[in-house]
Amino acid sequence: SCGLVLAYLQLRPRSSPLQYGDFILLNAGFTGISDNSNPHAFNYSAYLKNRGVTHRAFAESHDWTRINLHPTGFFRRVAFQLRDRLLNILRENHVEGKEFAVASALLLGYVNDLDAGLRKDYAATGAMHILSVSGMHVGIIYIFLEFLLGFLNRSKPGRFAKAVILLVFIWFYALLTGLSPCVLRSAAMLSLPILGKSLNRSPDMFNIIAASVIFILAMDPFLVTDLGFQLSYLAVIGIVILYKPIYDLYVTSAWLPDKIWSILAVSVAAQLATLPITLHTFHQFPNYFMLTNVFVVPLSSLIIYTGILVLAIGTVPIVSILSAKALTFMVWLLNTIIHFIEELPFSTIKGIFISTPEMLLLYLIIGTGFLFLTLRRTTFLWLLLVASIALFVSVAGSALDRLRSSRFLVFNAPRAALYEFSVQNRALIFYNTRPLRDWTLQKFNQDISTADLDAHGIKYRRYCWTGRTNALGEETSGFMPVIHQGNFFQFGSHRIGILNKKFPKGFRHGTRVEYLIISGNPNITIADAVRVFHPRKIIIDATNSRYRTVKWMSEAAKLPVFCHAVTIHGAFEKEF
């Protein structure tokens, strides 16, 4: 077989690290990557399949070895080695901590050192594009090189040589930063005007966009599903179409107000073009994105120029240290501004969930609104009204459906039992009796349920530990029609049981339940569970071992009972 595989390899002690292009001999079984995600959570299997990765493998240190063959991917290998050297230059000049994390992301596309706090601040303020090398970064490199090579414009051979040098540097920088979809787009779009200028031609911007799309997708058709690719092109199209009309709304001869308004016009144009897809994907909106970009765009440009200087002079005494200190200060200032804006009241609207048809309707509203304002034709006004009414009906219909429904969920939560009961805009979330000492894991499990609750507009929620013995009246008192007693739940007319212990010897009869949750890895068989509880459906939660889960699924396949394992099939969801 030939294809892409995601492999997890256990490293040997004191072994040299693997490099890009190395060959390995692997002795491991490949398994398909199934969707075992939770409702409204990131679908990792779909993400990998969109990149052509369909299988994965796990190998211990003795199950793989490096083969002494000539490495492949010469250019990428050299680029990554050079990037490591440039990162070491930053470290040697004492650029450390969060400043190193942001500087390496801004300059070289190295994001491994970005922690969750930094990502949260930049995402909440609408400045996440700064941390991923994109068109702005490649454009700054282009302007810098254009200035340095300006003397070559005096002759035709000089212009041709300049075009070759620019193309080599731009594509090498794209390779250096990992050839992300955003960088590919900007490099391809810059290459065409450079070639056009060398031939005394001025190509149309929309032709450049279309040609770069064809070029990039010819190399990798899977990129059409990449969110970065989609956002990058939508932002560029938005700027090309919307920037001039927005910029013309305010005209001033003063230099500073004009520059500020120019930045704001670009920000608004890009935000309008990407708004529907960002709401659909990220479920939040940065209210202060214009304020952010006024400070971030010029400051990040200074950081990139200063960073280039630091990387160029290496470790030259005094000069490199002073340049590195200036770089560190500017990155610190950028992080401080971003964090300050993120801490402002109402900096982000969260919990926005729109469906794919609603996203398309929102694009139709933006498009028809723009056409009506520019062309002044009533046809576009009617289309705008019809699309707005359709969007309102869709959102209102979804809200009414949520108010009429009640749901029961068993989440796929790592090493935890997590159950949800919801009615209209109220929910009870039960978690298992084993307290988790890992705070990060606890937070992750809470986020799993929070994503589902936010998506369904559930405002009132309570978390309960299943080990409480006095929970019967407290949980149901005017809040939810849920009765919890011992290992049993009564949810309206539906009875749910939890089996977390081995059956006592000679135990034959138990309470009939509709749904039986197997939890805590009990030493039982599916046949015994069916004989005692007579369930309609059996759910195996995430607290059970992989061995027993597979064994129970195999037993259930031979019996007339439905069995759902959340670690294999994803969360179990039942709407009543």
Side-chain angles (χ1 to χ4, degrees), residues 395-564:
V395 173
S398 300
L400 288 174
D401 287 341
R402 288 196 295 266
L403 290 175
R404 288 196 297 262
S405 69
S406 58
R407 299 180 309 132
F408 163 57
L409 283 89
V410 178
F411 292 101
N412 180 19
R415 291 184 285 164
L418 194 65
Y419 318 132
E420 177 190 314
F421 299 90
S422 65
V423 175
Q424 296 182 354
N425 62 347
R426 298 172 182 267
L428 274 174
I429 301 94
F430 291 88
Y431 54 93
N432 65 343
T433 56
R434 298 181 180 181
L436 297 173
R437 295 181 180 179
D438 188 342
W439 181 88
T440 304
L441 192 57
Q442 290 187 57
K443 180 68 169 58
F444 179 76
N445 289 337
Q446 184 177 346
D447 290 343
I448 289 174
S449 61
T450 300
D452 177 74
L453 296 171
D454 289 343
H456 286 84
I458 298 174
K459 297 180 180 179
Y460 307 103
R461 53 195 77 168
R462 292 183 186 176
Y463 290 83
C464 304
W465 179 40
T466 55
R468 291 168 60 181
T469 57
N470 60 341
L472 181 62
E474 195 174 318
E475 290 160 6
T476 59
S477 179
F479 186 74
M480 281 277 290
V482 174
I483 299 174
H484 170 220
Q485 187 68 50
N487 277 17
F488 294 93
F489 297 95
Q490 188 71 34
F491 184 38
S493 60
H494 307 281
R495 182 172 294 170
I496 300 156
I498 299 176
L499 178 57
N500 55 11
K501 295 179 181 179
K502 182 180 178 181
F503 291 120
K505 190 174 181 180
F507 190 77
R508 294 288 179 183
H509 302 287
T511 305
R512 284 179 174 266
V513 297
E514 281 188 71
Y515 303 94
L516 180 65
I517 303 171
I518 301 180
S519 182
N521 220 36
N523 185 16
I524 55 101
T525 64
I526 295 296
D528 288 340
V530 171
R531 185 186 69 251
V532 173
F533 292 103
H534 305 283
R536 184 191 302 174
K537 294 180 180 179
I538 294 177
I539 303 107
I540 303 170
D541 73 16
T543 61
N544 299 287
S545 68
R546 175 78 179 178
Y547 169 77
R548 284 212 165 123
T549 298
V550 173
K551 177 174 173 288
W552 289 329
M553 290 296 297
S554 177
E555 292 176 6
K558 302 174 184 177
L559 297 172
V561 62
F562 173 86
C563 193
H564 181 103

Side-chain angles (χ1 to χ4, degrees), residues 226-247:
D226 185 90
L227 183 62
F229 179 86
Q230 297 167 4
L231 289 174
S232 180
Y233 271 100
L234 284 171
V236 170
I237 292 170
I239 291 170
V240 170
I241 296 175
L242 302 176
Y243 168 71
K244 187 67 167 58
I246 295 172
Y247 177 75

Side-chain angles (χ1 to χ4, degrees), residues 362-412:
L362 194 52
Y363 268 118
L364 183 60
I365 290 170
I366 293 172
T368 52
F370 170 74
L371 291 172
F372 172 71
L373 292 174
T374 53
L375 302 178
R376 302 292 181 179
R377 293 182 183 176
T378 55
T379 303
F380 296 117
L381 178 60
W382 284 111
L383 285 173
L384 172 63
L385 293 174
V386 170
S388 301
I389 292 171
L391 180 61
F392 173 78
V393 170
S394 177
V395 173
S398 300
L400 288 174
D401 287 341
R402 288 196 295 266
L403 290 175
R404 288 196 297 262
S405 69
S406 58
R407 299 180 309 132
F408 163 57
L409 283 89
V410 178
F411 292 101
N412 180 19

